[in-house]
């Protein structure tokens, strides 16, 4: 009993220090396009005082950028494309990706996905289902319930992100089953 009380007191005493340490950590800066040599070349052109030299510099730098995009070495992506990509990865556990830096959609609520079922089938002997969504994302239930009505194409599905990496799949308003994204 004394040990338990001592542990509780130690945890309470250490909690403020842990919170302060976590709050003081600044998020790590992600690499930006400013480090790209093509972007650096354009930035260097801005510093040239002579108009004719500056235009010549911009012509050369922009031609290099256009050639890189045409050849596939560089891809210019707008915020809507980044948001679509981020949304298409819902359910996968991925590291912070540098090409998402500067994208404010990372602040959007990332805990819910609403979609439509494209196809669904019962996995043999498991009582679990594999469900393909309208965007071709593939999910599987990781538990089974006897009173859960089987999912069918065309039904609405809501996937909610839970704690500790769990996801809950709810078809047409039914109680959600735990699930995971598999493709």
């Amino acid at each position: 009993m004394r040990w338990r009380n001592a542990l509780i007191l130690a945890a309470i005493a250490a909690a403020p220090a842990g919170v302060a340490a976590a709050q003081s950590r600044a998020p790590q800066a992600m690499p930006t396009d400013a480090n790209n040599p093509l972007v650096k070349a354009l930035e260097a052109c801005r510093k040239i005082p002579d108009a004719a030299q500056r235009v010549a510099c911009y012509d050369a730098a922009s031609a290099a950028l256009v050639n890189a995009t045409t050849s596939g070495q560089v891809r210019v992506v707008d915020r809507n494309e980044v948001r679509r990509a981020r949304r298409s990865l819902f359910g996968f556990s991925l590291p912070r990706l540098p090409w998402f830096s500067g994208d404010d959609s990372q602040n959007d609520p990332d805990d819910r996905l609403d979609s439509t079922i494209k196809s669904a089938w019962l996995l043999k002997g498991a009582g679990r289902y594999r469900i393909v969504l309208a965007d071709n994302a593939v999910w599987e239930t990781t538990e089974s319930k006897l009173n859960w009505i089987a999912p069918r194409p065309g039904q609405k599905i809501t996937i909610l992100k839970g704690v500790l990496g769990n996801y809950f799949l709810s078809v047409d308003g039914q109680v959600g089953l735990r699930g995971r994204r598999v493709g």
Side-chain angles (χ1 to χ4, degrees), residues 29-168:
M30 298 297 290
T32 65
D33 292 334
N35 295 327
N36 184 300
L38 297 168
V39 175
K40 284 183 179 182
L42 284 169
E43 183 63 31
C45 295
R46 294 175 62 191
K47 298 175 184 174
I48 298 174
D50 181 61
Q53 290 177 345
R54 189 171 52 251
V55 169
C57 179
Y58 274 130
D59 285 347
S62 63
L65 180 59
V66 169
N67 288 338
T69 58
T70 304
S71 69
Q73 293 175 334
V74 171
R75 171 130 162 87
V76 178
V77 181
D78 67 21
R79 285 185 185 215
N80 288 331
E81 288 177 295
V82 171
R83 282 192 171 112
R84 280 192 300 276
R86 184 183 300 281
R87 203 64 186 153
S88 74
L89 297 173
F90 182 82
F92 284 128
S93 177
L94 297 171
R96 290 180 55 87
L97 301 171
W99 51 87
F100 287 142
S101 66
D103 168 40
D104 61 358
S105 71
Q106 65 192 358
N107 300 324
D108 292 348
D110 196 30
D111 57 356
R112 178 186 180 113
L113 175 70
D114 293 304
S115 189
T116 304
I117 297 175
K118 184 175 181 180
S119 63
W121 60 93
L122 183 64
L123 297 174
K124 284 192 176 187
R128 298 173 300 148
Y129 292 90
R130 178 166 285 181
I131 302 168
V132 179
L133 305 183
D135 65 354
N136 292 321
V138 181
W139 289 78
E140 281 184 2
T141 60
T142 56
E143 63 182 351
S144 61
K145 287 188 180 172
L146 294 176
N147 60 347
W148 207 63
I149 300 169
R152 294 182 314 275
Q155 289 182 311
K156 299 293 181 191
I157 184 168
T158 299
I159 302 172
L160 298 173
K161 186 175 184 179
V163 296
L164 302 174
N166 286 313
Y167 290 89
F168 295 91

Side-chain angles (χ1 to χ4, degrees), residues 1-18:
M1 185 64 106
R2 277 190 230 170
W3 284 102
R4 189 178 80 179
N5 291 343
L7 286 173
I8 291 171
L9 287 174
I12 291 170

